[in-house]
Amino acid sequence: MDLLKTAREVFAIEARAILHLAEHLDADYDKAINAILQAKGRVVVCGMGKSGLIGKKIAATLASTGTPSFFMHPSEAFHGDLGMVTPDDVFIAISNSGETEELLKLMPYLTDNRNYVIALTGNKQSSLGRAANAILNISVEQEACPLQLAPTASTTATLAMGDAIAVTLMHAKDFQPEHFARFHPGGNLGRRLLATVKDEMIVDNLPMVNASASFAELVDCISTGQLGLAVVQSEEGIGITTDGDIRRAFNRYNKEVFDLTAADLMSASPKTINAEAKMSDAFAIMEANKITALIVMEQERVVGILKK
């Protein structure tokens, strides 16, 4: 058995399935997108089995890109969760066959509730297709499964259709990185775009020494501060000495390094930033200068240190 050949065949089948989706797009796609844009409520995504797993990802993608959405399991919906669906919601029903019993049971309620129903199905003439307001065709020529039983290419196509919906809505809403960051405050993007320097800077026990401090005092300050640096204060302003500066000094001066002071080893005019600045600005400065720390200043006074 050629294992690599099998894998390549799967990729080829699923790639063709995605490419064929573009050929299936028609006016119903516009109708579906406009219905979501005009809806005052949320998008409810519903599917059974593998379609349900794909539906959870679609709902998560929509929610994180500016379209309020949640996933509803069809069996749970039929036993009370339909109470979460308001008339203002758009309902996305996923079924490759279009004959999933658990989904079809929900259609009378959705019709009575005046919900706009979008069907993601591979059979436009199915019961689900006939009940829907808009049909997005996710049919595939074949599954990657050699038995043509396990949903493979069809679930990939469904996922791609969900991504297309989400991205189209992002364009329509002019969804920007700042908006994305608001929904991901715990991630690196959220930290960069939402947080300010004062939210992240270190303010306690700052490692600071006078310019006249001895080499031993300077090393002790860097070690005690545990930030890999010391801020050097002089009459002319401030400087900075890093543990890298200490290592280079040893290589350059050997035993004579112990005769040096903090003023001899500091880098003058270090990069600084205001406490009210955005973290995105701070990261930009650090990346442009290939450094990992900034001194935070307010009214010519050191108030913190920001570490990358």
Side-chain angles (χ1 to χ4, degrees), residues 127-179:
S127 301
L128 179 61
R130 292 193 299 272
N133 299 101
I135 303 171
L136 303 186
N137 192 342
I138 55 168
S139 62
V140 298
E141 293 181 348
Q142 66 179 120
E143 297 285 7
C145 168
L147 304 178
Q148 297 302 299
L149 296 175
T152 45
S154 58
T155 47
T156 300
T158 306
L159 184 60
M161 183 63 79
D163 288 342
I165 294 170
V167 172
T168 302
L169 292 169
M170 290 175 71
H171 282 293
K173 297 178 178 182
D174 192 26
F175 194 79
Q176 297 297 317
E178 292 78 9
H179 304 139

Side-chain angles (χ1 to χ4, degrees), residues 156-227:
T156 300
T158 306
L159 184 60
M161 183 63 79
D163 288 342
I165 294 170
V167 172
T168 302
L169 292 169
M170 290 175 71
H171 282 293
K173 297 178 178 182
D174 192 26
F175 194 79
Q176 297 297 317
E178 292 78 9
H179 304 139
F180 188 86
R182 288 183 62 83
F183 303 132
H184 300 76
N188 191 50
L189 180 62
R191 182 186 177 208
R192 284 174 176 263
L193 296 179
L194 295 181
T196 61
V197 170
K198 68 180 179 181
D199 297 324
E200 301 277 344
M201 68 183 187
I202 298 165
V203 297
D204 296 325
N205 302 316
L206 297 179
M208 302 182 70
V209 296
N210 290 322
S212 59
S214 68
F215 179 79
E217 290 171 329
L218 177 61
V219 172
D220 181 65
C221 179
I222 294 175
S223 300
T224 303
Q226 298 183 341
L227 296 178

Side-chain angles (χ1 to χ4, degrees), residues 19-301:
L19 290 175
H20 286 163
L21 289 178
E23 301 172 6
H24 299 324
L25 289 179
D26 55 22
D28 272 20
Y29 187 81
D30 285 338
K31 289 167 55 180
I33 295 298
N34 285 324
I36 295 174
L37 289 172
Q38 295 167 13
K40 296 179 180 179
R42 303 151 299 173
V43 174
V44 182
V45 184
C46 194
M48 193 73 183
K50 305 298 188 297
S51 292
L53 296 174
I54 297 298
K56 289 181 180 180
K57 195 276 180 183
I58 292 174
T61 299
L62 289 171
S64 70
T65 54
T67 301
S69 176
F70 68 92
F71 175 79
M72 174 176 287
H73 193 285
S75 293
E76 297 297 333
F78 200 63
H79 289 279
D81 280 3
L82 276 174
M84 294 188 288
V85 182
T86 74
D88 293 328
D89 297 334
V90 172
F91 197 91
I92 295 180
I94 306 173
S95 171
N96 188 45
S97 68
E99 300 296 341
T100 303
E101 181 181 358
E102 292 86 350
L103 276 178
L104 296 179
K105 286 183 177 179
L106 305 179
M107 292 304 115
Y109 174 87
L110 297 173
T111 299
D112 184 67
N113 204 41
R114 301 186 305 279
N115 293 108
Y116 192 95
V117 177
I118 301 170
L120 269 61
T121 181
N123 184 0
K124 298 182 69 173
Q125 306 305 319
S126 63
S127 301
L128 179 61
R130 292 193 299 272
N133 299 101
I135 303 171
L136 303 186
N137 192 342
I138 55 168
S139 62
V140 298
E141 293 181 348
Q142 66 179 120
E143 297 285 7
C145 168
L147 304 178
Q148 297 302 299
L149 296 175
T152 45
S154 58
T155 47
T156 300
T158 306
L159 184 60
M161 183 63 79
D163 288 342
I165 294 170
V167 172
T168 302
L169 292 169
M170 290 175 71
H171 282 293
K173 297 178 178 182
D174 192 26
F175 194 79
Q176 297 297 317
E178 292 78 9
H179 304 139
F180 188 86
R182 288 183 62 83
F183 303 132
H184 300 76
N188 191 50
L189 180 62
R191 182 186 177 208
R192 284 174 176 263
L193 296 179
L194 295 181
T196 61
V197 170
K198 68 180 179 181
D199 297 324
E200 301 277 344
M201 68 183 187
I202 298 165
V203 297
D204 296 325
N205 302 316
L206 297 179
M208 302 182 70
V209 296
N210 290 322
S212 59
S214 68
F215 179 79
E217 290 171 329
L218 177 61
V219 172
D220 181 65
C221 179
I222 294 175
S223 300
T224 303
Q226 298 183 341
L227 296 178
L229 59 86
V231 178
V232 183
Q233 295 178 303
S234 68
E235 293 182 358
E236 292 76 22
I238 62 168
I240 189 171
T241 303
T242 67
D243 50 8
D245 293 328
I246 298 298
R247 290 193 298 272
R248 286 186 287 272
F250 267 114
N251 290 333
R252 180 178 180 182
Y253 297 104
N254 297 315
K255 290 186 296 182
E256 295 176 1
V257 73
F258 293 100
D259 298 326
L260 302 177
T261 65
D264 298 322
L265 294 172
M266 75 177 189
S267 297
S269 302
K271 297 298 178 182
T272 65
I273 195 167
N274 187 273
E276 299 298 327
K278 291 285 189 181
M279 283 297 296
S280 56
D281 297 327
F283 278 116
I285 294 172
M286 287 190 275
E287 289 166 4
N289 292 277
K290 297 181 180 179
I291 57 178
T292 59
L294 289 172
I295 299 174
V296 186
M297 304 287 292
E298 280 188 354
Q299 299 178 346
E300 300 183 357
R301 184 172 63 90

